[in-house]
Amino acid sequence: MEAAITTCYRHPSYETYVSCTRCERFICPDCMREAAVGHHCVECVKEGQRSVRQARTVFGGTVARSAVPLVTYVLMGLNILVYLAELVRPGIVDRFGMTGAGLTGPDGSQYVYVNGGFPGLDVIGVVDGEWYRLLTGAFLHLPPSGSSFGSVPFGVLHIAFNMYALWNLGRVVEEQLGRARYLALYLLSALGGSVLVYLIAPLDNTVGASGAIFGLAAAFYVISRRLGRDMQAVNRFLAGFLLWMVISAGFTSWQGHLGGLLTGAIVTVVYAYAPAERRTTVQASVCVVVFAVLMLLVALKTSALLG
């Protein structure tokens, strides 16, 4: 009597006598996956992967199998692409830079803002509802020959320094926080920097990722303390950032630097010390609260400027 012919459950045309040691379905070589004992089918392997708890850092970030800092790469790419766009169309800086309150004439000339505006001149900036400037300004940098913002012409050094800092800080912070938390931290720090500029110096025009970079510097400090690392080198690093903020106050926006630093510190402290059993909920809630507070401050300042 002949034995019954068995075929692969996924490929009926393939004759096989090997079965999955877990579900006992017959599988062909294309469907076999090595196991501790025998072979498993594709579905059993997937089911096993879903049931395995994924490792996480103390901040809740997923321990990635790949060390590629994807979000850092994307952020750097966006900054560089926007900078190239500025070279082609310099007007992008004036259109999307962080302008709190300003006036523009029919010929495009810009004037200092006065409360409530001025007859014949159009109000521009966050005060006129252009809230997107609070974030878009963080992806712009000074053109090589300076700009109508009247800042010291750093040229390519402006973006080069920020991208260098983003590369060095971003990889470390992203590895510990995970992609979602890291992106939220970066954007909130950038926003916090712009909001402090708006609150203290609404007539200034600023561009640059420095607010977000200072937020990452604060995050690196908090992360290092939480992980119990040697703080001597970390303290020197942060002291260098603070010294740069003081030295550069005459030709950069110290308000943007300080705002990003404070926002990044607040968010990362919550990331680091949120209770493990409710970690994700607490972290997400505080990010929402920080965002809401920043928007409330913008609304109050706008009301005051409109008189």
Side-chain angles (χ1 to χ4, degrees):
M1 183 175 181
E2 295 184 2
I5 298 176
T6 55
T7 60
C8 175
Y9 82 101
R10 296 179 71 215
H11 305 97
S13 62
Y14 201 110
E15 183 178 342
T16 180
Y17 296 96
V18 179
S19 62
C20 173
T21 56
R22 189 171 181 180
C23 68
E24 299 184 347
R25 289 181 292 190
F26 288 97
I27 49 179
C28 68
D30 290 339
C31 300
M32 294 178 188
R33 300 294 183 268
E34 290 287 344
V37 178
H39 298 82
H40 286 173
C41 66
V42 177
E43 276 74 13
C44 286
V45 170
K46 290 181 179 178
E47 182 63 30
Q49 290 175 341
R50 283 195 294 267
S51 62
V52 175
R53 188 174 182 179
Q54 202 163 19
R56 293 186 177 275
T57 68
V58 297
F59 307 94
T62 302
V63 178
R65 296 178 182 177
S66 172
V68 176
L70 180 62
V71 178
T72 298
Y73 281 147
V74 171
L75 290 172
M76 291 178 66
L78 284 174
N79 278 277
I80 294 171
L81 286 175
V82 171
Y83 191 72
L84 294 176
E86 291 179 35
L87 301 182
V88 178
R89 300 191 63 178
I92 291 176
V93 177
D94 291 330
R95 182 65 184 84
F96 294 99
M98 174 49 206
T99 300
L103 297 173
T104 182
D107 59 350
S109 300
Q110 294 190 5
Y111 302 89
V112 176
Y113 177 81
V114 292
N115 284 9
F118 192 83
L121 300 178
D122 296 325
V123 178
I124 61 171
V126 178
V127 71
D128 193 43
E130 298 174 341
W131 287 36
Y132 57 83
R133 290 178 179 268
L134 294 165
L135 199 57
T136 56
F139 289 91
L140 295 165
H141 290 81
L142 293 175
S145 59
S147 74
S148 59
F149 277 54
S151 301
V152 174
F154 286 121
V156 294
L157 292 178
H158 187 211
I159 187 172
F161 176 81
N162 280 341
M163 293 304 99
Y164 176 76
L166 176 56
W167 168 246
N168 283 281
L169 288 168
R171 290 178 297 166
V172 178
V173 177
E174 182 176 353
E175 180 184 15
Q176 291 298 323
L177 299 185
R179 292 171 180 172
R181 291 171 176 80
Y182 170 66
L183 181 60
L185 168 72
Y186 185 93
L187 295 177
L188 285 173
S189 297
L191 189 62
S194 295
V195 170
L196 194 61
V197 171
Y198 188 51
L199 295 178
I200 299 178
L203 305 185
D204 288 353
N205 301 302
T206 62
V207 291
S210 300
I213 300 300
F214 270 78
L216 295 184
F220 175 68
Y221 179 84
V222 174
I223 287 172
S224 298
R225 287 192 64 88
R226 179 67 175 84
L227 296 179
R229 293 173 175 168
D230 180 11
M231 293 303 295
Q232 289 187 355
V234 177
N235 289 335
R236 288 195 297 268
F237 166 80
L238 188 62
F241 258 78
L242 295 176
L243 181 61
W244 168 247
M245 183 169 64
V246 174
I247 293 175
S248 63
F251 53 91
T252 64
S253 174
W254 64 266
Q255 299 92 341
H257 295 173
L258 181 59
L261 185 78
L262 295 176
T263 305
I266 292 170
V267 172
T268 312
V269 165
V270 175
Y271 282 170
Y273 298 100
E277 63 275 8
R278 294 180 292 114
R279 182 168 51 200
T280 301
T281 301
V282 171
Q283 291 172 341
S285 299
V286 171
C287 285
V288 172
V289 170
V290 169
F291 176 78
V293 170
L294 291 175
M295 293 300 95
L296 176 61
L297 292 174
V298 172
L300 293 174
K301 183 63 177 182
T302 299
S303 178
L305 287 173
L306 292 176

